Amino acid sequence: MAADDDLILLGVIGAAHGIKGEVRIKAFTGDPLAIADYGPLTDEKGRRFEIAEIRPAKEVVVARLKGITSREAAESLNGVNLYVARDRIPAPEDEDEFLQADLIGCAVVGPDGVVLGTVTTVANYGAGDLLDILLPDGRSVLMPFTKAFAPRIDIAARRIEAVPPEGLFEADDDD
C-alpha cells in the first residue's frame, strides 16, 4: 500500500441503504458521482473497494460495492474512509483549484511576512471553503478560502499568503 501522503481521501462510507448491501457514501469529489471514476478505492487497512453501481441521493451517493451483498456486510463498513493513490488524481484544470490534502500543513503568512498559523483542516459548511488555521497561541480560527483572503498559494513552498479579515487573528480581550 502507498505511504499515507500518497493517498487522497475521496469519501467516507456511511450507513447501509436497504437490505441488499448498498451503502451511503459522503463523497469529497467536486461531482459526488465522480468518486466511481477512480477505479478501486482502498481503506487504511489496504482493503480494496470497487463501486459497481452508483446513484445520487440527497447529500450523499448510494453505491453498490462489489462483493457486498447483505445489509450486515454494508453495516460493517460504516465509517470506513475511501482513498485513492495521489497519482490517480488528475492535475487541476484551473490554477485556482487545490486538493484539500495539499492545503493541510501549509503555513499561513500575513501581508507583513509574519507566520500567522498553520492550516489543519479545510471545512465547508455550505457557504464555501474555510481554512481552519491553528495559531501559535493554540487558538484556532476559520478564514474564508477565497482569492480575496488568500491571494497567493504556493503548494510547493507549503505557503499561503493571506490578507485576512480585520481582527481575525487578534486575541479576544475577554479571554
Side-chain angles (χ1 to χ4, degrees):
M1 187 156 144
D4 284 350
D5 344 346
D6 294 336
L7 296 177
I8 302 296
L9 179 64
L10 289 189
V12 178
I13 297 176
H17 183 84
I19 59 170
K20 296 184 178 177
E22 290 183 314
V23 294
R24 292 176 178 93
I25 299 175
K26 169 84 172 136
F28 303 130
T29 51
D31 168 10
L33 294 174
I35 192 170
D37 297 341
Y38 290 91
L41 305 170
T42 59
D43 69 1
E44 291 92 346
K45 299 174 185 173
R47 295 182 294 180
R48 286 172 43 105
F49 298 94
E50 199 166 332
I51 297 173
E53 293 176 18
I54 191 168
R55 67 182 186 278
K58 283 186 181 176
E59 296 178 14
V60 295
V61 293
V62 173
R64 186 175 61 75
L65 303 175
K66 285 188 180 174
I68 305 298
T69 57
S70 71
R71 181 171 183 87
E72 294 73 25
E75 286 172 343
S76 74
L77 299 176
N78 193 354
V80 169
N81 289 328
L82 298 172
Y83 298 91
V84 68
R86 177 179 287 279
D87 60 11
R88 290 191 16 227
I89 302 272
E93 294 175 21
D94 181 349
E95 69 179 25
D96 290 332
E97 230 175 83
F98 303 93
L99 292 175
Q100 289 184 5
D102 289 340
L103 297 171
I104 295 169
C106 283
V108 178
V109 180
D112 55 2
V114 172
V115 174
L116 301 170
T118 305
V119 177
T120 58
T121 324
V122 180
N124 189 319
Y125 301 107
D129 289 332
L130 298 167
L131 299 179
D132 191 341
I133 302 167
L134 179 64
L135 307 183
D137 66 8
R139 290 181 302 125
S140 183
V141 298
L142 292 173
M143 183 180 83
F145 186 54
T146 64
K147 193 78 165 162
F149 297 124
R152 282 175 294 291
I153 292 116
D154 185 343
I155 295 297
R158 312 287 300 138
R159 177 184 168 101
I160 297 172
E161 292 182 26
V163 180
E166 190 173 329
L168 181 65
F169 289 92
E170 281 77 40
D172 288 338
D173 292 334
D174 299 341
D175 289 346

